[in-house]
C-alpha cells in the first residue's frame, strides 16, 4: 500500500518538474525575442553590409562556372549525337548534363533574390547600384540558359541528321544524287525544328545553313530529273563543282554566327563586371562610414 502511494507522487513530481522547465524555457525564449526586438540597434548594421558584400562575391565567382559547364555539356552531347543511334541515350545525356547548368542558374537566381531582401539595398546610395547588378547578372544567367538550348538545337541538327551530308555519302557512288536529296530533306527538316526556342543569332545560323544545304539539294535534284544520259552527266558535273564551294559557304555562315555570339557575350560580361565593381565600391564606402562613426564615438 505504501509503495503504490509513493509511485504516483514521484510521477507527479517528474511531470511538474518537466512542466516548469518547459515554461521556463518558453519565458527565456520569449524574453530573448523581446530583447532582440526592443534593444537591437535600429537601421542597417555593419553585419548587414558585410553579408551583402559576401553574397555579391559569391554570385560573381559563381558566374565562372558557366563556361566549363557549357563546354562539358557540348563535348558530351556532341559525342553521343555523333556516335549513338539510340534517341533514349541521347536524351539521357542531354537531361543529365543540362540539369547541372539549370541547377546552377536556379542557385544564382536564389542568391540574387536573397540579396534583394537585404535592408542595405533599400538605402539611397545602394539601391541603384544593386538594381544594376541584379539586372546584369540576371542577364548573364538568362544568356547561359539560352546557350544551353542553342547548343542542344545546333548539335542535334547539324551534328545529327545533317552530318551524313559531309561524312557518310559516297560522292563517286551511282546513287549519290538520290542519297544526297534524301539526306538533305531530313537535314532541312531538323534545321527547321532546331529554330524552336533558339535565339536570334542561332536562328540566323540555322537559316544560313538551310540556304546552303537547300541550294546543293536542288542541284542534285536537277540531276535526278534528267532522263537523258548526257544531260544528267552535265547536271552532275555542275552539281559536283558546286560542292567545292560548300565549305566556304558554311564557314562564312559559321563565322558570322561566332562573331555575333562573341559580341553579345562580351557585352554581357562587361556590363556584369562593371556593375559588380560599382556595387563593391558602394558597399566599401558604406563600410567605411561605420569605421568613421566608430572613430567619432571614441
Amino acid at each position: 500500500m505504501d509503495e503504490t502511494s509513493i509511485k504516483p507522487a514521484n510521477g507527479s513530481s517528474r511531470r511538474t518538474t518537466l512542466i516548469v522547465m518547459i515554461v521556463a524555457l518558453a519565458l527565456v525564449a520569449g524574453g530573448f525575442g523581446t530583447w532582440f526586438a526592443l534593444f537591437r540597434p535600429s537601421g542597417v548594421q555593419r553585419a548587414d553590409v558585410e553579408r551583402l558584400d559576401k553574397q555579391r562575391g559569391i554570385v560573381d565567382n559563381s558566374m565562372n562556372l558557366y563556361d566549363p559547364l557549357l563546354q562539358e555539356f557540348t563535348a558530351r552531347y556532341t559525342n553521343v549525337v555523333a556516335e549513338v543511334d539510340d534517341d533514349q541515350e541521347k536524351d539521357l545525356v542531354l537531361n543529365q548534363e543540362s540539369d547541372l547548368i539549370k541547377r546552377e542558374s536556379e542557385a544564382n537566381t536564389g542568391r540574387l533574390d536573397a540579396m534583394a531582401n537585404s535592408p542595405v539595398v533599400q538605402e539611397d546610395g545602394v539601391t541603384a547600384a544593386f538594381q544594376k547588378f541584379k539586372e546584369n547578372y540576371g542577364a548573364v544567367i538568362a544568356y547561359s540558359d539560352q546557350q544551353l538550348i542553342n547548343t542542344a538545337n545546333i548539335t542535334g541538327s547539324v551534328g545529327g541528321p545533317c552530318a551524313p551530308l559531309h561524312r557518310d555519302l559516297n560522292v563517286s557512288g551511282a546513287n549519290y544524287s538520290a542519297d544526297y536529296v534524301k539526306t538533305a530533306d531530313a537535314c532541312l527538316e531538323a534545321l527547321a525544328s532546331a529554330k524552336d526556342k533558339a535565339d536570334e543569332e542561332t536562328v540566323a545560323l540555322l537559316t544560313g545553313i538551310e540556304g546552303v544545304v537547300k541550294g546543293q539539294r536542288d542541284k542534285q535534284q536537277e540531276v535526278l530529273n534528267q532522263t537523258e544520259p548526257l544531260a544528267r552527266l552535265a547536271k552532275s558535273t555542275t552539281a559536283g563543282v558546286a560542292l567545292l564551294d560548300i565549305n566556304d559557304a558554311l564557314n562564312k555562315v559559321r563565322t558570322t554566327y561566332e562573331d555575333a555570339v562573341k559580341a553579345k557575350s562580351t557585352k554581357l560580361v562587361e556590363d556584369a563586371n562593371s556593375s559588380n565593381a560599382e556595387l563593391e565600391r558602394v558597399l566599401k564606402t558604406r563600410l567605411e562610414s561605420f569605421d568613421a562613426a566608430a572613430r567619432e564615438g571614441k
Side-chain angles (χ1 to χ4, degrees):
M1 176 69 71
D2 291 338
E3 290 180 357
T4 57
S5 65
I6 291 173
K7 288 181 180 179
N10 289 339
S12 175
S13 176
R14 286 194 296 272
R15 287 194 297 273
T16 301
T17 300
L18 182 60
I19 291 172
V20 169
M21 290 177 62
I22 292 173
V23 171
L25 288 173
L27 290 172
V28 169
F32 180 77
T34 302
W35 175 88
F36 189 81
L38 295 178
F39 297 101
R40 180 184 184 271
S42 60
V44 171
Q45 303 301 304
R46 183 187 186 93
D48 297 324
V49 181
E50 290 176 339
R51 187 180 304 110
L52 183 63
D53 190 46
K54 182 178 180 180
Q55 290 171 322
R56 175 202 59 75
I58 292 173
V59 170
D60 183 57
N61 288 331
S62 70
M63 295 300 162
N64 295 324
L65 295 176
Y66 278 113
D67 276 347
L69 286 175
L70 281 169
Q71 289 172 9
E72 179 68 17
F73 166 75
T74 301
R76 288 207 60 196
Y77 191 54
T78 298
N79 287 338
V80 76
V81 168
E83 298 175 2
V84 178
D85 293 328
D86 187 354
D87 289 339
Q88 187 173 3
E89 186 171 348
K90 294 177 186 177
D91 290 341
L92 179 63
V93 172
L94 175 63
N95 292 331
Q96 286 178 340
E97 295 299 318
S98 63
D99 187 56
L100 294 174
I101 298 174
K102 290 176 182 176
R103 284 202 306 242
E104 187 63 25
S105 292
E106 289 173 358
N108 284 326
T109 300
R111 290 168 182 141
L112 289 175
D113 290 341
M115 292 177 71
N117 291 325
S118 170
V120 183
V121 303
Q122 305 303 321
E123 293 191 334
D124 292 340
V126 181
T127 300
F130 171 72
Q131 289 301 326
K132 204 65 178 176
F133 177 91
K134 184 179 181 183
E135 176 185 330
N136 288 335
Y137 276 84
V140 172
I141 294 170
Y143 177 75
S144 298
D145 291 344
Q146 183 61 54
Q147 281 298 96
L148 183 64
I149 296 172
N150 296 339
T151 301
N153 289 9
I154 293 170
T155 303
S157 56
V158 178
C162 297
L165 290 175
H166 57 80
R167 187 184 64 193
D168 300 334
L169 300 184
N170 182 7
V171 179
S172 60
N175 297 322
Y176 178 75
S177 293
D179 291 341
Y180 193 98
V181 169
K182 180 180 179 181
T183 305
D185 285 342
C187 171
L188 291 170
E189 183 178 353
L191 290 171
S193 297
K195 294 178 184 179
D196 183 37
K197 298 180 181 178
D199 63 8
E200 181 180 352
E201 292 79 14
T202 302
V203 170
L205 169 69
L206 297 171
T207 301
I209 296 174
E210 273 181 333
V212 175
V213 171
K214 189 175 186 306
Q216 296 295 332
R217 182 250 182 233
D218 291 345
K219 286 182 175 62
Q220 298 297 337
Q221 182 63 54
E222 289 178 6
V223 175
L224 296 177
N225 293 341
Q226 300 302 317
T227 56
E228 294 294 329
L230 289 178
R232 172 169 285 201
L233 178 60
K235 290 293 184 181
S236 179
T237 301
T238 301
V241 171
L243 282 174
L244 298 176
D245 298 329
I246 190 171
N247 286 335
D248 288 340
L250 291 175
N251 283 335
K252 183 178 180 180
V253 173
R254 177 180 57 81
T255 300
T256 300
Y257 173 73
E258 290 177 350
D259 289 345
V261 169
K262 183 178 180 180
K264 186 174 184 178
S265 61
T266 298
K267 179 68 164 57
L268 286 169
V269 171
E270 288 177 349
D271 288 346
N273 287 339
S274 175
S275 61
N276 177 56
E278 175 61 15
L279 180 59
E280 183 179 22
R281 184 192 65 78
V282 168
L283 294 179
K284 181 180 179 181
T285 300
R286 189 66 178 89
L287 287 172
E288 289 173 351
S289 71
F290 287 105
D291 295 335
R295 286 193 297 269
E296 290 175 2
K298 290 181 181 179

